[in-house]
Amino acid sequence: MSKRVLTTESGAPVADNQNSASAGVGGPLLLQDQHLLEKLARFNRERIPERVVHARGSGAYGYFEVTDDVTGFTRAAFLNEVGKRTETFIRFSTVADNLGGADAVRDPRGFALKFYTEEGNYDLVGNNTPVFFIKDPIKFPDFIHSQKRDPFTGKQEPDNVWDFWAHSPEATHQITWLMGDRGIPASYRHMNGYGSHTYQWTNAEGEAFFVKYHFKTNQGIRCLSSEQGAEIAGKDANSHQTDLLQAIERGVNPSWTLYVQIMPAAEAADYRFNPFDVTKVWPHADYPLQRVGRLVLDRNPDNVFAEVEQAAFSPNNFVPGITASPDKMLQGRMFAYADAHRYRLGVNHTQLPVNAPKNAPADNYGRDGFYATRYGSRHDKNYEPNSYDGPTQTDAPLGAPREVSGWTGTYTYAEHVKDDHFFQAGELYRLMSSDEQARLIANIAGGLSQVSRDDVVEKNLAHFHAADPEYGKRVEEAVRELRENQ
């Protein structure tokens, strides 16, 4: 077997990869050493800008298989037949930490899924929690700034974290999730995934339905206590990555069962909660879970950078039969995600193998820009309409239209009968066992007791009191005790 020859980027063979060219044995290096300059220049550019959020992640390939008939609710082709399989790629991630952070930390987990369907790629970008901290995207940059490193101290500050939450009572529900037992998953395999937002499905007859996605882990829920998480993070910062990689390599392929909650569009206006508010859930008693199919992960990426770091997901990647709802956070993310990828990866990031559609051709008039690989044939035009048989529109909307009315302006969400910031947080607290409640209280008090300003502490305590009087009283007592002993 012949030896492989090391080459430059242009394919020229490399004569010496151990020594740089110089002017004599001890002389200065030469600008003409193309191999040296190319290696250093490439090395300087090996790291693309880090994701501002969800920087630390793991990924895997797999498939989604339809197990139940949902054609009465959506005309999406990849869901149109029981037994049908669609290739998928998933990226799990933490939210707040940097690329070098640990996996076993108290933080929401990203659950971003790409379906390579015959009608184009469908991206479902969710979390391992069914709700979120805020409900208007204009607050998102401030929220993330409060959770990440302080510009002066260079580290995450409890003052910043809890000060933002003190001024954002709608976060109380998600705080109760995050500080509870499911705040630190034992692995990516042992947690649920949620679309979190409300989406719209449209069937072949043009009927519209609002839906929420629930991916229930078939491995069972397993979580870590704060003490267990700290111990594991100290021993192996890559614990979740290691677990996912090794499980798939052993052939222990993780899977999730997808269920949806389905609300006829006409029921949304009078539902007791605003169905488009991502800080709230739809109780299962109102809209039971209906099974759709199963997600199976069976192949690890060959190259983490090329396939996990360069993976780009955007909530605006829909297919016929699935579209957006009036969920404000979803509407904001539909711009923000795609724009972030254009900044990080370039305008042609959709041509990278992990992002390119596999089962539907991409045929449009986008041209040029960094890393363009798709040009079309020599006679293709780059404008439309044209007289040269270029691609044309279908005139078939992806989903049913929605009626809108009113004056332009800035508005809070329309309030429904049961809409407030605290009711569902209290419901979640009351669902917990006494042991779960005790751990929740300890986790909240551990962070809130570190806040330096009394007024910030008091504002947060008021939120927990409003959710449930016992909840608030226990947090208040735990915080007082910890602060007295500091």
Side-chain angles (χ1 to χ4, degrees), residues 21 89 120 128 149 161 174 178 184 213 218 225 254 311 319 350 352 375 378-379 397 427:
F89 181 79
N128 71 326
R149 297 176 187 273
V161 171
Q174 173 73 320
L178 179 62
I184 312 178
Y213 294 89
N218 294 325
S225 67
V319 292
T350 56
L352 295 168
Y375 298 103
R378 62 185 295 188
H379 298 299
E427 290 283 272

PDB file of all heavy atoms in Angstrom, residues 21 89 120 128 149 161 174 178 184 213 218 225 254 311 319 350 352 375 378-379 397 427:
ATOM      1  N   ALA A  21      11.478  27.361   6.209  1.00  0.00           N
ATOM      2  CA  ALA A  21      12.543  27.850   5.329  1.00  0.00           C
ATOM      3  C   ALA A  21      13.135  29.128   5.918  1.00  0.00           C
ATOM      4  O   ALA A  21      12.409  30.011   6.373  1.00  0.00           O
ATOM      5  CB  ALA A  21      11.991  28.118   3.935  1.00  0.00           C
ATOM      6  N   PHE A  89     -30.743  15.167  12.135  1.00  0.00           N
ATOM      7  CA  PHE A  89     -29.531  15.520  12.893  1.00  0.00           C
ATOM      8  C   PHE A  89     -29.983  16.332  14.091  1.00  0.00           C
ATOM      9  O   PHE A  89     -30.839  17.214  13.967  1.00  0.00           O
ATOM     10  CB  PHE A  89     -28.549  16.342  12.050  1.00  0.00           C
ATOM     11  CG  PHE A  89     -27.289  16.701  12.792  1.00  0.00           C
ATOM     12  CD1 PHE A  89     -26.270  15.776  12.939  1.00  0.00           C
ATOM     13  CD2 PHE A  89     -27.132  17.956  13.365  1.00  0.00           C
ATOM     14  CE1 PHE A  89     -25.108  16.092  13.637  1.00  0.00           C
ATOM     15  CE2 PHE A  89     -25.977  18.282  14.067  1.00  0.00           C
ATOM     16  CZ  PHE A  89     -24.973  17.340  14.196  1.00  0.00           C
ATOM     17  N   GLY A 120     -37.697  19.737   1.721  1.00  0.00           N
ATOM     18  CA  GLY A 120     -36.730  20.667   2.284  1.00  0.00           C
ATOM     19  C   GLY A 120     -36.497  20.376   3.753  1.00  0.00           C
ATOM     20  O   GLY A 120     -37.159  19.525   4.356  1.00  0.00           O
ATOM     21  N   ASN A 128     -35.099  21.495  26.715  1.00  0.00           N
ATOM     22  CA  ASN A 128     -35.557  20.368  27.529  1.00  0.00           C
ATOM     23  C   ASN A 128     -36.583  20.821  28.573  1.00  0.00           C
ATOM     24  O   ASN A 128     -36.899  20.080  29.497  1.00  0.00           O
ATOM     25  CB  ASN A 128     -34.375  19.674  28.229  1.00  0.00           C
ATOM     26  CG  ASN A 128     -33.777  20.524  29.345  1.00  0.00           C
ATOM     27  OD1 ASN A 128     -33.740  21.753  29.251  1.00  0.00           O
ATOM     28  ND2 ASN A 128     -33.297  19.873  30.396  1.00  0.00           N
ATOM     29  N   ARG A 149     -21.236  36.262  31.549  1.00  0.00           N
ATOM     30  CA  ARG A 149     -20.164  36.897  32.314  1.00  0.00           C
ATOM     31  C   ARG A 149     -20.352  38.421  32.397  1.00  0.00           C
ATOM     32  O   ARG A 149     -20.638  39.072  31.396  1.00  0.00           O
ATOM     33  CB  ARG A 149     -18.804  36.573  31.684  1.00  0.00           C
ATOM     34  CG  ARG A 149     -18.476  35.084  31.716  1.00  0.00           C
ATOM     35  CD  ARG A 149     -17.158  34.792  30.998  1.00  0.00           C
ATOM     36  NE  ARG A 149     -16.922  33.364  30.894  1.00  0.00           N
ATOM     37  CZ  ARG A 149     -16.331  32.620  31.825  1.00  0.00           C
ATOM     38  NH1 ARG A 149     -15.901  33.191  32.945  1.00  0.00           N
ATOM     39  NH2 ARG A 149     -16.162  31.327  31.662  1.00  0.00           N
ATOM     40  N   VAL A 161     -27.974  37.900  37.659  1.00  0.00           N
ATOM     41  CA  VAL A 161     -28.963  36.857  37.370  1.00  0.00           C
ATOM     42  C   VAL A 161     -30.290  37.173  38.048  1.00  0.00           C
ATOM     43  O   VAL A 161     -31.353  37.233  37.414  1.00  0.00           O
ATOM     44  CB  VAL A 161     -28.438  35.483  37.831  1.00  0.00           C
ATOM     45  CG1 VAL A 161     -29.537  34.424  37.735  1.00  0.00           C
ATOM     46  CG2 VAL A 161     -27.230  35.059  36.996  1.00  0.00           C
ATOM     47  N   GLN A 174     -40.377  29.274  34.771  1.00  0.00           N
ATOM     48  CA  GLN A 174     -39.154  28.616  34.293  1.00  0.00           C
ATOM     49  C   GLN A 174     -38.119  28.483  35.415  1.00  0.00           C
ATOM     50  O   GLN A 174     -37.390  27.489  35.465  1.00  0.00           O
ATOM     51  CB  GLN A 174     -38.566  29.394  33.110  1.00  0.00           C
ATOM     52  CG  GLN A 174     -37.205  28.907  32.615  1.00  0.00           C
ATOM     53  CD  GLN A 174     -37.251  27.581  31.858  1.00  0.00           C
ATOM     54  OE1 GLN A 174     -37.971  26.656  32.227  1.00  0.00           O
ATOM     55  NE2 GLN A 174     -36.460  27.475  30.796  1.00  0.00           N
ATOM     56  N   LEU A 178     -36.147  25.196  36.430  1.00  0.00           N
ATOM     57  CA  LEU A 178     -34.687  25.138  36.400  1.00  0.00           C
ATOM     58  C   LEU A 178     -34.101  24.782  37.764  1.00  0.00           C
ATOM     59  O   LEU A 178     -33.117  24.041  37.853  1.00  0.00           O
ATOM     60  CB  LEU A 178     -34.128  26.484  35.931  1.00  0.00           C
ATOM     61  CG  LEU A 178     -32.612  26.618  35.862  1.00  0.00           C
ATOM     62  CD1 LEU A 178     -32.014  25.626  34.866  1.00  0.00           C
ATOM     63  CD2 LEU A 178     -32.216  28.041  35.484  1.00  0.00           C
ATOM     64  N   ILE A 184     -30.603  19.700  36.230  1.00  0.00           N
ATOM     65  CA  ILE A 184     -29.321  19.152  35.766  1.00  0.00           C
ATOM     66  C   ILE A 184     -29.570  17.732  35.262  1.00  0.00           C
ATOM     67  O   ILE A 184     -29.553  16.768  36.050  1.00  0.00           O
ATOM     68  CB  ILE A 184     -28.253  19.121  36.878  1.00  0.00           C
ATOM     69  CG1 ILE A 184     -28.175  20.448  37.626  1.00  0.00           C
ATOM     70  CG2 ILE A 184     -26.885  18.765  36.285  1.00  0.00           C
ATOM     71  CD1 ILE A 184     -27.163  20.461  38.761  1.00  0.00           C
ATOM     72  N   TYR A 213     -44.938  20.438  20.789  1.00  0.00           N
ATOM     73  CA  TYR A 213     -44.194  19.193  20.630  1.00  0.00           C
ATOM     74  C   TYR A 213     -43.609  18.740  21.975  1.00  0.00           C
ATOM     75  O   TYR A 213     -43.037  19.540  22.716  1.00  0.00           O
ATOM     76  CB  TYR A 213     -43.031  19.379  19.663  1.00  0.00           C
ATOM     77  CG  TYR A 213     -43.406  19.682  18.234  1.00  0.00           C
ATOM     78  CD1 TYR A 213     -43.590  20.987  17.796  1.00  0.00           C
ATOM     79  CD2 TYR A 213     -43.535  18.665  17.297  1.00  0.00           C
ATOM     80  CE1 TYR A 213     -43.903  21.280  16.475  1.00  0.00           C
ATOM     81  CE2 TYR A 213     -43.842  18.924  15.973  1.00  0.00           C
ATOM     82  CZ  TYR A 213     -44.029  20.242  15.569  1.00  0.00           C
ATOM     83  OH  TYR A 213     -44.333  20.536  14.253  1.00  0.00           O
ATOM     84  N   ASN A 218     -37.137   7.665  25.974  1.00  0.00           N
ATOM     85  CA  ASN A 218     -37.422   6.254  26.220  1.00  0.00           C
ATOM     86  C   ASN A 218     -36.393   5.618  27.138  1.00  0.00           C
ATOM     87  O   ASN A 218     -36.508   4.438  27.481  1.00  0.00           O
ATOM     88  CB  ASN A 218     -37.478   5.492  24.883  1.00  0.00           C
ATOM     89  CG  ASN A 218     -38.653   5.946  24.032  1.00  0.00           C
ATOM     90  OD1 ASN A 218     -39.721   6.275  24.542  1.00  0.00           O
ATOM     91  ND2 ASN A 218     -38.456   5.994  22.724  1.00  0.00           N
ATOM     92  N   SER A 225     -28.341  15.859  41.386  1.00  0.00           N
ATOM     93  CA  SER A 225     -28.464  16.891  42.393  1.00  0.00           C
ATOM     94  C   SER A 225     -27.366  17.932  42.156  1.00  0.00           C
ATOM     95  O   SER A 225     -26.431  17.703  41.384  1.00  0.00           O
ATOM     96  CB  SER A 225     -28.321  16.292  43.795  1.00  0.00           C
ATOM     97  OG  SER A 225     -26.999  15.808  43.990  1.00  0.00           O
ATOM     98  N   PRO A 254     -30.033   5.875  21.613  1.00  0.00           N
ATOM     99  CA  PRO A 254     -31.079   6.557  22.380  1.00  0.00           C
ATOM    100  C   PRO A 254     -32.271   6.903  21.506  1.00  0.00           C
ATOM    101  O   PRO A 254     -32.138   7.129  20.290  1.00  0.00           O
ATOM    102  CB  PRO A 254     -30.373   7.820  22.893  1.00  0.00           C
ATOM    103  CG  PRO A 254     -29.228   8.032  21.965  1.00  0.00           C
ATOM    104  CD  PRO A 254     -28.810   6.678  21.491  1.00  0.00           C
ATOM    105  N   ALA A 311     -23.249  23.126  12.441  1.00  0.00           N
ATOM    106  CA  ALA A 311     -24.682  22.882  12.284  1.00  0.00           C
ATOM    107  C   ALA A 311     -25.447  24.171  12.562  1.00  0.00           C
ATOM    108  O   ALA A 311     -25.194  24.850  13.554  1.00  0.00           O
ATOM    109  CB  ALA A 311     -25.137  21.782  13.235  1.00  0.00           C
ATOM    110  N   VAL A 319     -41.729  23.518   6.453  1.00  0.00           N
ATOM    111  CA  VAL A 319     -42.120  22.773   5.254  1.00  0.00           C
ATOM    112  C   VAL A 319     -43.623  22.922   5.098  1.00  0.00           C
ATOM    113  O   VAL A 319     -44.319  23.300   6.051  1.00  0.00           O
ATOM    114  CB  VAL A 319     -41.733  21.277   5.373  1.00  0.00           C
ATOM    115  CG1 VAL A 319     -40.223  21.111   5.354  1.00  0.00           C
ATOM    116  CG2 VAL A 319     -42.335  20.642   6.619  1.00  0.00           C
ATOM    117  N   THR A 350     -25.927  27.432   4.505  1.00  0.00           N
ATOM    118  CA  THR A 350     -26.884  26.371   4.172  1.00  0.00           C
ATOM    119  C   THR A 350     -26.336  25.401   3.136  1.00  0.00           C
ATOM    120  O   THR A 350     -26.943  24.366   2.869  1.00  0.00           O
ATOM    121  CB  THR A 350     -28.193  26.976   3.638  1.00  0.00           C
ATOM    122  OG1 THR A 350     -27.903  27.824   2.522  1.00  0.00           O
ATOM    123  CG2 THR A 350     -28.888  27.792   4.717  1.00  0.00           C
ATOM    124  N   LEU A 352     -23.271  24.038   3.524  1.00  0.00           N
ATOM    125  CA  LEU A 352     -22.432  23.086   4.226  1.00  0.00           C
ATOM    126  C   LEU A 352     -23.157  21.748   4.318  1.00  0.00           C
ATOM    127  O   LEU A 352     -24.384  21.705   4.474  1.00  0.00           O
ATOM    128  CB  LEU A 352     -22.112  23.601   5.629  1.00  0.00           C
ATOM    129  CG  LEU A 352     -21.276  24.880   5.695  1.00  0.00           C
ATOM    130  CD1 LEU A 352     -21.278  25.442   7.115  1.00  0.00           C
ATOM    131  CD2 LEU A 352     -19.855  24.601   5.233  1.00  0.00           C
ATOM    132  N   TYR A 375     -23.577  27.018  -7.790  1.00  0.00           N
ATOM    133  CA  TYR A 375     -23.663  28.071  -8.805  1.00  0.00           C
ATOM    134  C   TYR A 375     -24.706  27.788  -9.883  1.00  0.00           C
ATOM    135  O   TYR A 375     -25.084  28.668 -10.622  1.00  0.00           O
ATOM    136  CB  TYR A 375     -22.301  28.251  -9.492  1.00  0.00           C
ATOM    137  CG  TYR A 375     -21.213  28.690  -8.553  1.00  0.00           C
ATOM    138  CD1 TYR A 375     -20.273  27.798  -8.082  1.00  0.00           C
ATOM    139  CD2 TYR A 375     -21.137  30.008  -8.126  1.00  0.00           C
ATOM    140  CE1 TYR A 375     -19.272  28.203  -7.208  1.00  0.00           C
ATOM    141  CE2 TYR A 375     -20.140  30.426  -7.246  1.00  0.00           C
ATOM    142  CZ  TYR A 375     -19.215  29.508  -6.795  1.00  0.00           C
ATOM    143  OH  TYR A 375     -18.235  29.918  -5.935  1.00  0.00           O
ATOM    144  N   ARG A 378     -24.038  26.738 -16.400  1.00  0.00           N
ATOM    145  CA  ARG A 378     -23.407  27.931 -16.990  1.00  0.00           C
ATOM    146  C   ARG A 378     -24.426  28.909 -17.552  1.00  0.00           C
ATOM    147  O   ARG A 378     -24.122  30.089 -17.707  1.00  0.00           O
ATOM    148  CB  ARG A 378     -22.428  27.511 -18.075  1.00  0.00           C
ATOM    149  CG  ARG A 378     -23.069  26.776 -19.239  1.00  0.00           C
ATOM    150  CD  ARG A 378     -22.059  26.273 -20.234  1.00  0.00           C
ATOM    151  NE  ARG A 378     -21.367  27.356 -20.881  1.00  0.00           N
ATOM    152  CZ  ARG A 378     -20.540  27.187 -21.912  1.00  0.00           C
ATOM    153  NH1 ARG A 378     -20.304  25.973 -22.362  1.00  0.00           N
ATOM    154  NH2 ARG A 378     -19.952  28.207 -22.480  1.00  0.00           N
ATOM    155  N   HIS A 379     -25.623  28.447 -17.857  1.00  0.00           N
ATOM    156  CA  HIS A 379     -26.623  29.326 -18.459  1.00  0.00           C
ATOM    157  C   HIS A 379     -27.671  29.812 -17.458  1.00  0.00           C
ATOM    158  O   HIS A 379     -28.570  30.566 -17.831  1.00  0.00           O
ATOM    159  CB  HIS A 379     -27.329  28.612 -19.619  1.00  0.00           C
ATOM    160  CG  HIS A 379     -26.406  28.237 -20.733  1.00  0.00           C
ATOM    161  ND1 HIS A 379     -25.691  29.169 -21.459  1.00  0.00           N
ATOM    162  CD2 HIS A 379     -26.064  27.029 -21.228  1.00  0.00           C
ATOM    163  CE1 HIS A 379     -24.949  28.552 -22.372  1.00  0.00           C
ATOM    164  NE2 HIS A 379     -25.149  27.244 -22.242  1.00  0.00           N
ATOM    165  N   PRO A 397     -49.340  28.381  -0.356  1.00  0.00           N
ATOM    166  CA  PRO A 397     -48.807  28.766   0.954  1.00  0.00           C
ATOM    167  C   PRO A 397     -48.463  27.545   1.802  1.00  0.00           C
ATOM    168  O   PRO A 397     -49.069  26.479   1.659  1.00  0.00           O
ATOM    169  CB  PRO A 397     -49.970  29.552   1.582  1.00  0.00           C
ATOM    170  CG  PRO A 397     -50.828  29.968   0.432  1.00  0.00           C
ATOM    171  CD  PRO A 397     -50.699  28.891  -0.587  1.00  0.00           C
ATOM    172  N   GLU A 427     -48.717  25.953  40.436  1.00  0.00           N
ATOM    173  CA  GLU A 427     -49.205  24.615  40.094  1.00  0.00           C
ATOM    174  C   GLU A 427     -48.053  23.615  40.015  1.00  0.00           C
ATOM    175  O   GLU A 427     -48.169  22.475  40.485  1.00  0.00           O
ATOM    176  CB  GLU A 427     -49.937  24.657  38.753  1.00  0.00           C
ATOM    177  CG  GLU A 427     -51.266  25.380  38.782  1.00  0.00           C
ATOM    178  CD  GLU A 427     -52.369  24.543  39.399  1.00  0.00           C
ATOM    179  OE1 GLU A 427     -53.026  23.785  38.672  1.00  0.00           O
ATOM    180  OE2 GLU A 427     -52.556  24.630  40.631  1.00  0.00           O
TER     181      GLU A 427
END
